[in-house]
Amino acid sequence: MNLKPIIFAALRVILYAIPVAASALIIKSDAGILIDGGKFGEGSQTEWMQQMYLLLTSIVFILAGIRSKGHQAISYLFGGGALVALIREFDVYFDKIYHGAWFPFALFVLLLSIFLVYRKRQQIWENLEEFFTTPAFGTFIAGFLGVFVFSRLFGTKKVWRALFDVEKLEPVQRWVKNAVEEGSELFGYTLLFIAAIEFFVYVSKKLKE
């Protein structure tokens, strides 16, 4: 009986439990912190954790492309996409320059990513087809949908006004809404980070083979 795959799978579960648990603990910590009269707003630990996971996701995908020249197209595509999302998350700080100042920075990164992917355009379809068969794909899709679909829809004021049966949310009710919205968003970013790690491991194993 070969125990190596079982041990490897168990190790992955334990290692991935660390960022998931860290996200939950950050949310728990933010629950007791009031910033500018509110909770789970800009500048919260939850927001910073989201940004950190986006940065790490971008770095890991780009490192996968550096490690494997045959996977550079998809690595630059996802790495650049994560970096664009990170710049968007920093909009409150860019707004200190002028309102909407994040957009030209994000556009520059987006165009640079498209240029790099275009240079490796002969790889892109093959890379995507291969990615769809990796363990990283399911985790990536779950994280992407969690951030850009579930958290957005679940965090709408209409849902929470109906839940609390009020016309206008009181401060505590808004904190609950923010906690759920930002918490689900953070978990989605955690999954995207795990997907990037999975892809890097996949690329590394393929090179050894």
Side-chain angles (χ1 to χ4, degrees):
M1 181 178 179
N2 186 9
L3 294 177
K4 188 175 179 180
I6 298 175
I7 295 173
F8 183 62
L11 183 62
R12 284 161 67 192
V13 172
I14 293 171
L15 290 177
Y16 293 153
I18 295 174
V20 171
S23 298
L25 290 174
I26 285 294
I27 295 170
K28 179 181 178 182
S29 175
D30 265 344
I33 299 175
L34 199 64
I35 301 177
D36 297 329
K39 294 185 179 183
F40 294 96
E42 302 292 346
S44 66
Q45 296 175 92
T46 302
E47 284 277 351
W48 280 104
M49 198 78 167
Q50 292 172 3
Q51 294 153 7
M52 184 190 75
Y53 280 140
L54 274 174
L55 177 61
L56 290 175
T57 298
S58 178
I59 291 173
V60 173
F61 269 120
I62 292 173
L63 286 177
I66 293 173
R67 183 166 176 77
S68 174
K69 294 186 184 299
H71 296 86
Q72 288 185 337
I74 193 170
S75 297
Y76 295 153
L77 177 66
F78 290 159
L83 198 54
V84 169
L86 175 62
I87 294 172
R88 178 64 181 85
E89 286 288 337
F90 277 126
D91 63 325
V92 67
Y93 304 104
F94 281 109
D95 281 349
K96 293 180 180 180
I97 303 174
Y98 66 86
H99 183 68
W102 66 272
F103 182 74
F105 290 95
L107 182 62
F108 171 77
V109 172
L110 177 63
L111 293 176
L112 178 60
S113 300
I114 292 173
F115 171 72
L116 292 174
V117 173
Y118 180 77
R119 289 182 61 189
K120 299 290 182 178
R121 58 190 179 280
Q122 68 277 7
Q123 296 179 353
I124 188 62
W125 295 116
E126 182 181 344
N127 281 179
L128 286 171
E129 186 177 357
E130 183 180 359
F131 180 71
F132 296 155
T133 66
T134 67
F137 174 66
T139 309
F140 183 88
I141 289 299
F144 182 86
L145 294 177
V147 172
F148 297 104
V149 179
F150 180 80
S151 70
R152 298 294 189 271
L153 295 176
F154 197 35
T156 56
K157 291 181 180 179
K158 185 176 181 180
V159 171
W160 292 91
R161 286 198 297 262
L163 178 64
F164 289 115
D165 195 22
V166 295
E167 292 295 326
K168 182 179 179 181
L169 295 177
E170 296 296 328
V172 174
Q173 294 168 337
R174 284 200 301 272
W175 299 345
V176 174
K177 168 194 169 298
N178 292 344
V180 173
E181 181 180 3
E182 297 300 331
S184 58
E185 193 172 332
L186 176 57
F187 183 62
Y189 283 134
T190 307
L191 292 179
L192 289 177
F193 170 61
I194 291 174
I197 295 292
E198 281 284 319
F199 184 68
F200 184 86
V201 171
Y202 169 81
V203 166
S204 300
K205 286 178 66 177
K206 190 168 183 180
L207 284 176
K208 289 181 181 179
E209 294 171 357

